[in-house]
Amino acid sequence: MLLTDPALRRIAADTNDVLPDQLWRHDTATLGPIGDLARLLHHTARAFTDTTTALDTTLTRTATIATTAAHQLDARADLHLPGYQQTLTDALTARERHTTLGAMLVATYRAWRNHRPTLGDSGTRHVLLRPGDPSAGVATLRRREPRTWLVVPDTEAATAFAIPYPDRVVGEVTDTGQGWTPTAYIARPDHPTPLGTTYPLPTCDDLAPACRSLLRWWH
């Protein structure tokens, strides 16, 4: 499953760039502006990940206190919650730090990305199935022909769209020049051609809707 790293998930949510890993780390030993930006981005990403963990911990503690309070109200119509003020303060502090580091992370990433217009393998690309919303998962596209890509949903995408085929080819999308035409089918990972009937679907204006149409068809 892609986007398990908090920094990559935040970058995808704000920019729709889906990275398989922290690619900027390859530039951290580089001299000049690219190296400077990569090192700054690396430190910011680590800090953002740490504050994500801290915020999750404080929110979990706050939720536990809230549950305890509800039980006390049911039992006695009274509250005795030692430490709740400090817990709420910790949660608000963690949220503020998380918000600040998130903005720094995205700004630094954009600056680094301006020096890296091309990233990774040109034969593979990753697409957020719902732009700005990583919770709907990612489709990995593998080039089959110059204008045709095989579509493979990750586990999060399969769960979000309620289909039984994570990490398998569920069809292909073709750039017609006037839109993206999806064709649904199932293929084994080691078998690049359809094993049965194919199902052409209506052309979509953009790539993400074309991928979503494949998953909705299988659902």
Side-chain angles (χ1 to χ4, degrees), residues 51-86:
T51 194
T52 300
T53 301
L55 181 58
D56 181 70
T57 300
T58 57
L59 289 177
T60 299
R61 191 179 304 128
T62 301
T64 300
I65 290 177
T67 300
T68 300
H71 290 330
Q72 287 190 9
L73 285 174
D74 287 342
R76 302 178 54 206
D78 194 10
L79 287 177
H80 177 63
L81 301 173
Y84 81 94
Q85 290 180 328
Q86 184 61 50

Side-chain angles (χ1 to χ4, degrees), residues 75-209:
R76 302 178 54 206
D78 194 10
L79 287 177
H80 177 63
L81 301 173
Y84 81 94
Q85 290 180 328
Q86 184 61 50
T87 299
L88 292 177
T89 299
D90 291 343
L92 292 173
T93 301
R95 176 186 178 276
E96 183 176 355
R97 178 170 172 77
H98 186 263
T99 299
T100 301
L101 282 171
M104 290 177 57
L105 174 71
V106 174
T108 308
Y109 170 77
R110 291 185 190 276
W112 172 79
R113 187 72 169 85
N114 286 337
H115 291 82
R116 286 294 185 197
T118 302
L119 296 174
D121 182 2
S122 61
T124 302
R125 59 198 298 188
H126 304 287
V127 177
L128 279 185
L129 285 164
R130 294 195 185 281
D133 181 10
S135 68
V138 174
T140 296
L141 276 62
R142 301 171 185 160
R143 191 189 298 276
R144 182 181 183 189
E145 296 174 356
R147 301 172 72 90
T148 298
W149 302 76
L150 302 176
V151 178
V152 182
D154 70 354
T155 303
E156 196 166 17
T159 300
F161 286 85
I163 67 169
Y165 303 117
D167 300 319
R168 290 183 61 181
V169 176
V170 295
E172 64 188 33
V173 290
T174 300
D175 182 4
T176 65
Q178 297 179 339
W180 290 86
T181 299
T183 302
Y185 57 78
I186 286 291
R188 296 194 307 266
D190 59 344
H191 197 296
T193 57
L195 298 179
T197 305
T198 61
Y199 304 90
L201 302 175
T203 298
C204 299
D205 293 336
D206 205 354
L207 181 55

